[in-house]
Each structure stands twice: as C-alpha cells, then as structure tokens.
Amino acid sequence: MSAAVLQAVPGTGIDVSGLNVWFDDHQVLHGVSFSVPEGGALGLVGESGSGKSTVLRALCGLVDQWSGALRIDGADLGKTRSRGFYRVVQMVFQDPFASLHPRHTIDRTLSEPAQVHGLDRVEDRVVTALEQVGLDRSFRFRFPHQLSGGQRQRVAIARALMLEPRVLLLDEPTSALDVSIQAEVLNLLKGLQRDLGLTTLMVSHDLAVVSHMCDAVAIMNRGRILETIAAEDLAAGRVDHPYSQQLLRASSGFDRAVIDSFVDWE
Amino acid sequence: MADLKSAAPLLEVEDLRVHFHTPRGEVEAVRGLSFTLGRERLGIVGESGSGKSQTGRAILGLTAGNGRITAKTLRFQGQDLLSLSPKQWRAVRGARMSMIMQDPKYSLNPVMTVGDQIVEAYRQHHRVSAAEARQRALAMLARVKIRDPERVFATYPHEVSGGMGQRIMIAMMLIPEPDLIIADEPTSALDVTVRLQVLAILDDLVRERGMALIFISHDLPLVSSFCDRILVMYKGRVVEDLKASDLQSARHPYTQGLLGCLPRLDHRQETLPVLRRDPRWEHGTLEEVMR
C-alpha cells in the first residue's frame, strides 16, 4: 500500500521524478514519479491512453518535449541519449512481427547492436544470446518469417541482451502471443531477470501478467500514477483508488453487476 | 411455425472441413467439425491456427478464394448452405446471419461516414426510404449506448475511439435483425472495462431479440463467463465440448493446459506451467487422450 514498497537505493536502478510530457500543446504525462531499485521490477498498468508506454519512450529519449528528472544508475538523462546509454538500457517491444527486420537473418539482427558498439567476439555473443533465450544455433541463419511468434519474441529478447544491459524496458512483451506461448516467454523473462539481476520496467494492460512479473505495480490513468502498490497487495485486492478497484474488478471476467457499476474515468 | 422454428436447431454442422490450396500443398484448417446450435451463446476457443476463425468464416460463406468447404451437413434454419449460389448466400448473409470482426479500424469503411454505413447495411436488406433508414440507424446507435447518435452518425471511423468503433460495428451488424451473430474476437482490441461494456451491449441485444451467438475467442476465462457452452478447438478439431460453467472441471489436457498456463492474480507462482503438447491431441478422441 505504501509508496515505499520499492525504495530505490540512491544511485542505482531507475529513478523518475516529476516527469511531464507534451505532444504539441497536449500534456500526456503529469508529474509521474517512481523508482525501481537495482535488480527490482516495477510494472506500469493502465488502459490505452494512460501514458504507460510514453514513460518508456521518454526514458529511451523518444519524446521531444518533457520536463522533470530521469535518472538511470544515478546519472541524469539529458535531451539526447548517448551510445553508452544503450549499453545499459534495452527495450523489448510488443509486436515481434513488426520489431524484427524481415529481410535480415537472425544472425544479422543480433550482430548489429554488437557491431554498432564496436564489441569483439560478435559470433560468440550471438550464440550466447540465443542460448540465453532457449534457441539453438540452427536459428542463426533463418529469417523472421520462418519463425513462430514466440520464437520471434525470443529473438527480440536476445537482441536486447546482446549488449549485456542492466536495465530492461518491456512494452507489452507478450500481448501479441497465445497464452501457452506467453507462459513460456514470461518464464524466460523472469529467469533472465533473476539470473542476470536485470532491473525491469514492464508496461502491460494485464494485471495478472504484471503482478506475476513484478515486485510492485504502479496504476496509471490519464497520464498520472494513481497509486504504487506491492504485487502481493494487488493480488489480494488491496488497492485504494476507486479506479484501481474498478480495473481489478474488470479483470475477473463478465459479470453484469460489475459492469453496471463502472464509472467513466475519461 | 414459431414452434417448429424453436424445435429445430438453428444451425446444424456435421463433418465440416475447410481445405486451403497453398504453394506448399493442401492444408486442412478445419478437420471434421460437428455441432448444432440453438438459440444460445456458444463460445469457440482455441489458439492461433486452431481453425476457430475459419469455422466462423465457412458458416458465413466467407472462406478465401483458395479455400474449399465440404460438409455432410451445413444447414441454417433448415436451408442447405452448401447448395446456395453466391447470390443466394449473399441474401442470407447480413440479413439472417452476420459477423462482427475483431478490429473496427479495419472493418469499417474509412471514407464513408458511420451513419451512411449503417444505413447501407439496413437498406441492403430492407426496402425503405432514406429518411426511415436514417431514423432506424439513429435508433440503433442509441441502442448500443452511444450518447449522441446524431453527432456520431456524421463522423468518420477515424474520429471515434476503439470502443465506440466496435459499438458501431455491432449496430451495423444487428440492424438487419439477423438470427445468428458470429463474433470473431469482437473485443480483443479493447481495454478491459470497455471490453466488458461492449459485451454487455451484445448480451442485451442477443437476449432481447432471441438471437444465437457464436463467440470466437482465444480468451478461455472470458468466454466461460459470457457464453452458455464452449467448444475447445485444437489444430482444426473440437477436442472438448462443455458447458461454460463446467470449465473448471474440463477433462481434456489441452483445455486444462490452457487454463493452467495463465498467470493468475489470486494464485502467485514463481514459474508458470507450460503446455506440453501431446501428438495424440491431433487425432485422438477425448477418451483416447485421457487413457
């Protein structure tokens, strides 16, 4: 219940404070603040338009107009991101059908970040990254269209791991996958999180997925964080804000009484 | 007449098969599907590639050009659908059975106002004046809980939200008053609260008009909370047919596996169980698989 569920050790992990973002004249984030300690996992939950993905985009330097403080490992992020930033922070996107180059082999897709950053032993790194995501070497010289959705998402995760980042940003990483494949990818991500000690920020609309993956959950609505709670509290239904309560009730299936009680939060 | 209608099943499907001719050879997307449908809400559940959407399309005669449908029986309100000419099928489709697709962004005409599209759907099957069709369309928009029907009538699809777009789709599909609605993932593109509100509207209309509904979805828990009966499909076959309320006591390992691999709020676990696919699921009956 307390905002202190995740107390960042100063100088490590992700620290966002008072983040405002504008798209032209329209303000889409209003004073968003949270922190994720090193090795911790925070989930951002909300419906479309709540601004959850914009938070990730702001961290990656993909929005132009913003104010507030963004810190990774204690270092302030400015208007642009250095090459070194991407050694520390990597992102996995929602749709593995859109995020992989259709005419590049898996080998080329995975090698590229290492080459851009001038790393040595590129081939070893590719094989290691594939192993980490549970794909054997035979996948190296295939193209994305020869892979299933789950295998493509594994490749996207392998690409994020190529630079041995310490922070992983996940934007709905399993919402385009079948539930049986989702379980495999979530298990993989959780294992990597644990084994590599990755600091994770995950965006999702699915409360169950987020509470499975994260230590704490921030519930967003209309560009604001309404509350940040421990995953156990979310699981036990201990949420304060009426919007969070509604979201929680909506996640339990079709129930006329519940639906008739919905309030419009627009 | 009315008695006769309620006694005979609305839709009879026996040994439905859908084949596709592809460069890599013949693919059988639906392999011998049988069920009968009364005035009820039937859920068809399965993962991608299970043949659930192709089943819906085959019933509507919307199978793609390289596909071929065969069936021992495919009868709707006593009429053999397979013997219909494309023109006759078109008269059935829309008027007596209709389909709600997944994403309003792709299934509404982007260069036509919402109102004109609904009017067109109505006048396709009813010979009425433009003014009367307009009144009907406005009333239908109000029925799907759109607050300002006059304003929405004049908008283009890109000006409305996803939830609103899906209500417009429902209005368009229901205005000819069909007896059977096939909804293919009608709410998967929507946020949870909007999803439930749209389903509630669909639920009201289906109940009030006594329509039958085939609800195609990958979301097993949602379907079980919304439908009366569920068919679980795996690789083109129905592997289990059960009452929605009995989902928790499903017997087929595939159904159990699908339920098991979902992360759950009320039951946290470190590692999610993964589905171990058994080759027997492809051909075996429930009894053979259980053995």
Side-chain angles (χ1 to χ4, degrees):
Chain A
M1 288 297 220
S2 62
V5 235
L6 280 180
Q7 202 58 265
V9 183
T12 57
I14 308 171
D15 189 25
V16 171
S17 95
L19 176 64
N20 299 306
V21 169
W22 292 264
F23 292 153
D24 294 325
D25 297 336
H26 182 56
Q27 189 170 357
V28 293
L29 289 186
H30 304 263
V32 167
S33 303
F34 61 86
S35 47
V36 193
E38 189 167 11
L42 175 73
L44 294 177
V45 190
E47 299 190 288
S48 32
S50 62
K52 55 194 192 301
S53 295
T54 306
V55 173
L56 295 194
R57 294 177 61 84
L59 279 166
C60 284
L62 297 172
V63 298
D64 295 328
Q65 289 173 278
W66 59 275
S67 70
L70 302 173
R71 286 186 211 93
I72 300 246
D73 282 355
D76 265 299
L77 301 177
K79 287 292 165 197
T80 55
R81 300 287 172 271
S82 66
R83 189 174 289 193
F85 171 83
Y86 296 103
R87 296 287 300 271
V88 180
V89 182
Q90 282 287 314
M91 184 150 162
V92 177
F93 298 89
Q94 176 171 11
D95 185 356
F97 291 83
S99 65
L100 298 179
H101 196 299
R103 297 183 62 173
H104 285 179
T105 59
I106 303 312
D107 185 69
R108 187 166 168 193
T109 292
L110 295 183
S111 305
E112 202 166 80
Q115 282 157 354
V116 167
H117 287 265
L119 301 186
D120 57 355
R121 302 182 297 107
V122 173
E123 197 175 325
D124 292 348
R125 288 172 192 269
V126 169
V127 173
T128 308
L130 282 174
E131 272 170 15
Q132 282 175 320
V133 298
L135 295 176
D136 65 59
R137 283 159 199 246
S138 69
F139 283 91
R140 267 180 77 189
F141 298 102
R142 294 195 200 169
F143 287 94
H145 73 262
Q146 296 168 307
L147 272 53
S148 67
Q151 288 167 341
R152 286 184 211 210
Q153 199 58 310
R154 285 174 192 267
V155 170
I157 295 167
R159 176 178 55 188
L161 296 176
M162 277 301 289
L163 299 177
E164 299 170 8
R166 292 200 300 280
V167 176
L168 211 51
L169 307 180
L170 305 170
D171 192 357
E172 302 265 15
T174 58
S175 63
L177 306 175
D178 275 326
V179 290
S180 62
I181 311 299
Q182 164 173 284
E184 292 171 15
V185 172
L186 290 180
N187 285 343
L188 167 67
L189 285 169
K190 205 161 182 181
L192 291 169
Q193 213 176 330
R194 187 185 53 227
D195 299 344
L196 305 176
L198 296 169
T199 307
T200 314
L201 182 58
M202 179 184 202
V203 160
S204 176
H205 67 279
D206 190 325
L207 291 178
V209 166
V210 161
S211 85
H212 173 71
M213 290 293 294
C214 302
D215 317 317
V217 178
I219 296 171
M220 293 189 70
N221 182 245
R222 310 207 65 192
R224 289 186 171 81
I225 290 182
L226 301 180
E227 59 185 317
T228 305
I229 53 175
E232 294 83 44
D233 286 328
L234 180 68
R238 289 190 293 267
V239 293
D240 279 336
H241 198 283
Y243 174 78
S244 318
Q245 291 166 353
Q246 177 168 313
L247 202 59
L248 200 56
R249 285 198 304 270
S251 306
S252 53
F254 186 81
D255 179 337
R256 276 317 283 255
V258 167
I259 297 167
D260 294 337
S261 75
F262 283 170
V263 181
D264 220 345
W265 290 89
E266 289 297 323
Chain B
M1 182 67 193
D3 281 343
L4 253 180
K5 231 180 171 180
S6 53
L10 190 69
L11 180 72
E12 292 163 79
V13 179
E14 195 190 348
D15 198 25
L16 174 72
R17 289 169 190 274
V18 181
H19 298 263
F20 285 99
H21 194 71
T22 74
R24 274 179 294 174
E26 191 88 348
V27 176
E28 199 173 15
V30 179
R31 302 181 294 137
L33 188 92
S34 303
F35 67 93
T36 58
L37 181 77
R39 301 207 173 261
E40 58 181 327
R41 289 169 298 172
L42 174 73
I44 301 185
V45 182
E47 297 192 286
S48 32
S50 62
K52 58 188 191 304
S53 291
Q54 289 306 333
T55 301
R57 288 179 163 271
I59 295 166
L60 281 158
L62 290 175
T63 303
N66 62 339
R68 193 161 47 81
I69 310 171
T70 61
K72 285 203 188 104
T73 315
L74 187 56
R75 198 177 294 135
F76 176 64
Q77 296 180 326
Q79 188 172 25
D80 179 17
L81 291 174
L82 290 178
S83 68
L84 297 183
S85 70
K87 195 178 167 203
Q88 287 169 318
W89 207 323
R90 213 154 50 230
V92 173
R93 193 166 50 222
R96 289 161 52 199
M97 57 165 121
S98 183
M99 189 171 203
I100 300 169
M101 312 252 190
Q102 179 169 2
D103 195 338
K105 256 188 295 207
Y106 301 112
S107 32
L108 293 173
N109 184 343
V111 293
M112 205 170 161
T113 62
V114 162
D116 285 347
Q117 294 184 51
I118 300 175
V119 164
E120 185 188 46
Y122 189 63
R123 293 185 86 191
Q124 192 75 35
H125 302 286
H126 299 268
R127 299 181 74 101
V128 294
S129 70
E132 193 192 331
R134 185 187 149 86
Q135 284 314 312
R136 289 259 179 189
L138 287 171
M140 195 65 217
L141 283 173
R143 287 288 300 114
V144 294
K145 307 232 160 77
I146 285 175
R147 272 183 226 130
D148 188 355
E150 294 272 355
R151 187 186 67 78
V152 173
F153 189 92
T155 56
Y156 285 91
H158 74 270
E159 298 173 288
V160 302
S161 67
M164 180 97 83
Q166 204 54 300
R167 288 183 222 184
I168 291 165
M169 275 286 289
I170 291 174
M172 195 192 309
M173 293 303 142
L174 293 191
I175 199 168
E177 307 210 343
D179 295 304
L180 169 63
I181 287 275
I182 299 177
D184 189 357
E185 304 267 10
T187 57
S188 304
L190 306 176
D191 281 324
V192 278
T193 47
V194 182
R195 167 182 305 169
L196 296 183
Q197 286 166 337
V198 167
L199 285 181
I201 291 166
L202 198 56
D203 185 47
D204 284 342
L205 295 169
V206 167
R207 280 177 198 282
E208 282 165 24
R209 300 189 177 183
M211 287 185 286
L213 175 74
I214 297 180
F215 187 95
I216 298 171
S217 173
H218 67 281
D219 191 335
L220 198 46
L222 180 71
V223 167
S224 78
S225 65
F226 186 69
C227 294
D228 306 312
R229 191 155 66 97
I230 307 178
L231 303 179
V232 180
M233 285 189 74
Y234 181 73
K235 294 200 173 173
R237 279 185 343 126
V238 171
V239 293
E240 192 161 15
D241 176 348
L242 71 173
K243 261 173 70 183
S245 52
D246 293 344
L247 181 65
Q248 290 309 324
S249 47
R251 294 164 65 214
H252 198 285
Y254 177 63
T255 318
Q256 291 172 347
L258 278 184
L259 283 172
C261 65
L262 286 168
R264 279 167 49 188
L265 271 174
D266 56 355
H267 174 65
R268 302 194 72 199
Q269 43 194 345
E270 184 57 29
T271 310
L272 294 169
V274 296
L275 199 59
R276 305 225 177 278
R277 288 160 207 273
D278 186 330
R280 289 183 305 173
W281 297 354
E282 243 182 90
H283 299 284
T285 62
L286 181 55
E287 274 58 40
E288 285 164 6
V289 170
M290 300 277 297
R291 212 173 288 148

